[in-house]
Structures are given as C-alpha cells and as structure tokens.
C-alpha cells in the first residue's frame, strides 16, 4: 500500500512540532510543498520555506495547511 501525503504540491503550510526531533527555529515558519517521497516510512514531504532556497524534508504531522495548493512553479 502506498501512503500519500494529505498536502498536495503547491499547498502553503506552517511547520509545527511533531513527534520527531526538530530544529526549534523551524516551528511556526511558512512555506510551500514542492514534492513528496512516499517510499520512506513515514513518507516525506519536501517544503521550501519562505525566504529560503533550500528544501526541508518533513512529515504530515509536522505540517498544517495555511492555504490550498498553488502552482509549484511559483516557488523560489
């Protein structure tokens, strides 16, 4: 069975504390979902935070929706 993220590409999300260790400086930051990798358990969601060029690998429980999906080509 393939597990799929509840956050489609282009979704605006805010990072929240989940059950995995996390850099506390990420909590509360906002970004855009760029892609998914369903292979690891739990599946990874790759998010580009506002003002950054890098991408962070997170899981669904560490994200909350801010706005529905937009075009991922708009990401920096």
């Amino acid at each position: 069975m393939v597990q799929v993220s509840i956050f489609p590409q282009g979704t605006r999300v805010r990072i929240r504390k989940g059950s995995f260790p996390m850099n506390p400086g990420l909590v509360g930051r906002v970004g855009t979902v760029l892609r998914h990798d369903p292979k690891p358990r739990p599946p990874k969601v790759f998010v580009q935070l506002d003002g950054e060029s890098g991408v962070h690998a997170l899981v669904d429980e560490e994200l909350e929706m801010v706005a529905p999906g937009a075009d991922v080509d708009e990401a920096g």
Side-chain angles (χ1 to χ4, degrees):
M1 179 170 92
V2 174
Q3 195 173 2
V4 181
S5 173
I6 61 172
F7 301 101
Q9 288 180 337
T11 302
R12 298 285 294 157
V13 293
R14 179 177 295 113
I15 298 178
R16 64 182 180 185
K17 179 71 177 107
S19 59
F20 296 106
M22 173 187 288
N23 175 343
L26 295 178
V27 176
R29 304 241 349 244
V30 176
T32 303
V33 174
L34 297 183
R35 64 184 177 90
H36 304 92
D37 186 353
K39 295 176 188 164
R41 294 290 178 247
K44 299 291 183 185
V45 179
F46 294 90
V47 176
Q48 183 177 42
L49 297 176
D50 293 352
E52 291 189 8
S53 59
V55 177
H56 296 271
L58 302 160
V59 296
D60 280 352
E61 74 173 74
E62 297 170 329
L63 303 171
E64 61 183 340
M65 185 185 308
V66 173
D71 187 356
V72 293
D73 292 334
E74 295 175 12

